[in-house]
Amino acid sequence: MSSENVAIAPAQDVEKGAAKKEQDERMVMDVGVMDEGLERQLKARHIQMISIGGVIGTGLFLGTANALRHGGPLGMWLGYSIMGTIVFSVMVCLGEMISHLPITGGFITLGHRFVDPAFSFLQAAELSAAAVLISYWDDSVNPAVWITMCLVVAVGINLGGTRVYGEMEFWFAIIKVLTITGLIILGIVLTAGGGPDHKAIGFRYWRNPGPFVQYLGIAGAKGRFLGFWAVLIQASYSYLGTEIVAIAAGEAKNPKKTLPKAIKSVYFRILFFYVAGTFIVGLLVSSKDSRLALGTGTAVSSPFVIAINNSGIKVLPGIINACLLTSAWSAASSDLYTSSRALYGLAINGNAPRVFAKTTNWGLPWVAVIANVAIALLAYLSAGDASASTAFTWFSNMTSVCGLAGWAGICWTYIRFYNGLKVQGIDRSELPYRAPLQPYLSYYAMIFCLIILFFNGFAVFIHYNPATFDQSTFWTSYVPIIMCPILYFGYRFYYKVTTIPYVEMDFVSGSREGEDEEEEEQSSNFIVRAWRAIM
């Protein structure tokens, strides 16, 4: 789509927007600064695997334990499947915007451009998850030792720059994909009685103790529904990370070719990794199994490891746990990468101190990286009196809330983007990627994200007793929700900003129109070539 085809506004609207010309020019200039500060070092294979690997995290391997315990096999499967439709809706919204405007800062910068200059940040909990995983082998060592080791890995990868991050994430993602694929295949074999004990499981646990769990002992349909709802909230944490590819867009080569390809395969990843994976988990382990409680503090609570131990396979649990550990490393590295680029994007847009926009001569936003490493030190909270699993739960709650708020924000940004295209007479069929069923999917995902956000801490109000009220869960569930409108409207009031009119939206700057595509080199590595053929 050439810039001649993009009508920025009719003549009368140009006149109307003359007062904001200087502000618009400053925004365009900032986009240019972004492209000069960071280097485009992520190749097509990096983007594809970052997109795939972002779906698979410790939430899938460990989080399914609580999901099965609270919802039962059918409640868990329904929860993850429905949340999968929400994630798909969010990702196609994001894909259409970021494929056309592959700018640094991803959806944060898009929100600045199509809504107004106000947005928030996201933080994840993977370092605490790593401590839980390592304690499978040795629970006598303080979790601080393992957190330090994982933090060193994540920081080392990120200080190496975008190229090192992309390469490491490529191989981490392959390990994660092979692990979950192997576990699903193994689960099918064990269910059919192919394990050392030769005992077929089938749908045994769907019959007894049953497809649903009576949540917190509440009888009837109400208890079963609340169990399903608890799974829906848990599933949101497991899916977090799918949006990583949008943050990486500003450092991608050939984004108009690689990003649509990555987005189009989202539905397959959701179907295979989560819908199929949770169905198999529901067959393998009883929802009444006491080992599912994360309070044990070890990876033995992973449903996959429980099933392997039940079948009598001796060595495999340790090997699987090692693979899960690389998943935690990958997630920690990706979280540090995305949070540093998000902070960099905020600085470029004027929503954070300009010092965070400083980069090295090889394109590393080193100040933003160091700032986020300082925040990551919160993981050491798990080294105190509380166990690593307790800290994991706290961070999980806050991450889920911030992630859901971010998804709702992406959908609202897309609705504004969609309306802006319509007002300016731009045909969506000319975009590199056109999301299906719009704008209906964006409204569907946004509304459900807001509903889940509002009720995400419902469990603390069941059997309410002031003496035993779970304050930590309440605050971690609702403080981020309370802070979002305070920060948003506070920013609008203090800086006197207004919502950007549709006719003044910029659909040109940062679109890389007319940019020559670089040929992706043909790798001689057999594994890489085979993987490309499969994907």
Side-chain angles (χ1 to χ4, degrees):
M1 181 174 64
S2 64
S3 58
E4 287 83 1
N5 291 333
V6 181
I8 298 301
Q12 63 269 30
D13 292 323
V14 172
E15 227 173 55
K16 181 181 177 182
K20 291 194 175 183
K21 182 178 178 182
E22 185 179 344
Q23 178 184 347
D24 293 338
E25 288 177 349
R26 188 161 57 248
M27 183 174 68
V28 172
M29 182 175 64
D30 284 343
V31 173
V33 172
M34 283 188 245
D35 289 340
E36 291 174 4
L38 302 182
E39 295 185 5
R40 302 168 195 165
Q41 300 177 344
L42 295 176
K43 302 172 184 176
R45 63 185 178 88
H46 294 146
I47 291 295
Q48 188 69 16
M49 294 310 295
I50 287 173
S51 176
I52 294 173
V55 180
I56 309 170
T58 51
L60 175 59
F61 297 117
L62 289 177
T64 47
N66 268 336
L68 180 59
R69 189 163 60 94
H70 291 152
L74 183 55
M76 175 179 64
W77 184 78
L78 288 174
Y80 274 85
S81 298
I82 292 175
M83 182 55 68
T85 65
I86 296 173
V87 174
F88 173 78
S89 303
V90 171
M91 287 304 296
V92 295
C93 291
L94 185 58
E96 181 173 321
M97 293 188 292
I98 207 67
S99 295
H100 175 56
L101 296 169
I103 50 183
T104 302
F107 49 87
I108 292 178
T109 304
L110 291 171
H112 180 275
R113 180 177 293 197
F114 297 114
V115 184
D116 57 50
F119 211 71
S120 58
F121 72 99
L122 171 69
Q123 184 66 33
E126 300 297 342
L127 291 176
S128 291
V132 174
L133 288 167
I134 295 178
S135 62
Y136 174 83
W137 291 298
D138 189 353
D139 57 5
S140 63
V141 180
N142 192 295
V145 176
W146 309 126
I147 291 174
T148 301
M149 183 180 71
C150 294
L151 187 60
V152 168
V153 171
V155 173
I157 291 173
N158 277 268
L159 290 180
T162 304
R163 187 185 300 276
V164 173
Y165 165 75
E167 202 62 42
M168 292 301 297
E169 187 59 24
F170 175 81
W171 292 106
F172 277 146
I174 287 180
I175 293 173
K176 289 194 287 186
V177 170
L178 292 178
T179 300
I180 189 62
T181 302
L183 288 173
I184 290 175
I185 294 173
L186 177 62
I188 295 172
V189 172
L190 295 179
T191 301
D197 58 358
H198 301 295
K199 294 180 180 179
I201 301 173
F203 283 84
R204 177 194 309 170
Y205 300 124
W206 284 57
R207 293 188 295 270
N208 183 25
F212 289 98
V213 168
Q214 302 299 143
Y215 188 69
L216 296 181
I218 300 172
K222 180 181 178 181
R224 293 190 290 273
F225 174 78
L226 290 178
F228 154 76
W229 191 260
V231 172
L232 202 62
I233 297 169
Q234 172 65 45
S236 67
Y237 170 73
S238 298
Y239 279 113
L240 289 179
T242 53
E243 67 279 6
I244 288 176
V245 67
I247 296 291
E251 297 174 85
K253 297 180 179 180
N254 306 335
K256 292 185 178 296
K257 179 181 178 182
T258 58
L259 291 174
K261 183 179 179 182
I263 296 298
K264 287 176 183 177
S265 60
V266 165
Y267 73 94
F268 168 76
R269 290 172 238 147
I270 292 173
L271 282 174
F272 182 73
F273 297 135
Y274 283 96
V275 177
T278 53
F279 179 76
I280 295 299
V281 166
L283 295 177
L284 290 173
V285 181
S286 168
S287 59
K288 297 294 186 182
D289 196 309
S290 60
R291 291 169 293 179
L292 291 172
L294 274 176
T296 57
T298 71
V300 73
S301 57
S302 167
F304 294 108
V305 175
I306 291 174
I308 292 170
N309 283 327
N310 288 345
S311 68
I313 303 176
K314 301 297 183 183
V315 181
L316 196 54
I319 298 175
I320 295 300
N321 198 69
C323 295
L324 304 193
L325 178 59
T326 64
S327 174
W329 286 349
S330 168
S333 174
S334 294
D335 290 336
L336 183 55
Y337 171 83
T338 53
S339 58
S340 63
R341 269 50 176 189
L343 182 56
Y344 175 84
L346 288 171
I348 288 298
N349 290 323
N351 295 335
R354 292 287 297 187
V355 66
F356 294 118
K358 288 188 176 182
T359 60
T360 63
N361 56 7
W362 66 86
L364 174 70
W366 62 275
V367 179
V369 171
I370 292 175
N372 281 280
V373 170
I375 296 174
L377 296 178
L378 288 172
Y380 284 102
L381 287 173
S382 66
D385 294 334
S387 66
S389 59
T390 303
F392 178 80
T393 302
W394 290 348
F395 285 127
S396 172
N397 287 346
M398 290 187 289
T399 302
S400 298
V401 172
C402 292
L404 283 168
W407 288 350
I410 290 171
C411 293
W412 177 242
T413 302
Y414 177 80
I415 291 169
R416 298 272 306 164
F417 173 88
Y418 178 91
N419 291 335
L421 290 173
K422 183 180 293 186
V423 168
Q424 296 189 18
I426 301 173
D427 189 351
R428 290 175 59 233
S429 64
E430 297 181 26
L431 302 179
Y433 172 71
R434 180 178 179 178
L437 301 175
Q438 295 295 0
Y440 310 108
L441 287 184
S442 56
Y443 281 108
Y444 162 74
M446 183 178 70
I447 291 171
F448 266 89
C449 283
L450 294 176
I451 292 174
I452 295 171
L453 272 173
F454 186 77
F455 292 104
N456 86 93
F458 75 95
V460 299
F461 299 105
I462 298 177
H463 306 315
Y464 176 75
N465 184 342
T468 59
F469 186 71
D470 189 352
Q471 294 190 31
S472 62
T473 299
F474 173 80
W475 290 116
T476 55
S477 297
Y478 287 106
V479 164
I481 299 176
I482 297 171
M483 291 303 298
C484 280
I486 292 175
L487 293 174
Y488 177 77
F489 289 107
Y491 186 98
R492 282 183 63 112
F493 176 78
Y494 183 81
Y495 290 102
K496 296 179 173 60
V497 298
T498 57
T499 302
I500 299 171
Y502 292 126
V503 295
E504 296 178 13
M505 289 180 175
D506 178 13
F507 292 98
V508 179
S509 304
S511 65
R512 302 195 194 177
E513 262 331 305
E515 184 179 286
D516 293 333
E517 290 189 354
E518 301 177 31
E519 289 294 328
E520 183 78 6
E521 82 284 2
Q522 296 298 317
S523 175
S524 58
N525 188 304
F526 172 77
I527 296 178
V528 174
R529 286 189 284 111
W531 189 260
R532 283 180 185 170
I534 295 172
M535 299 310 299

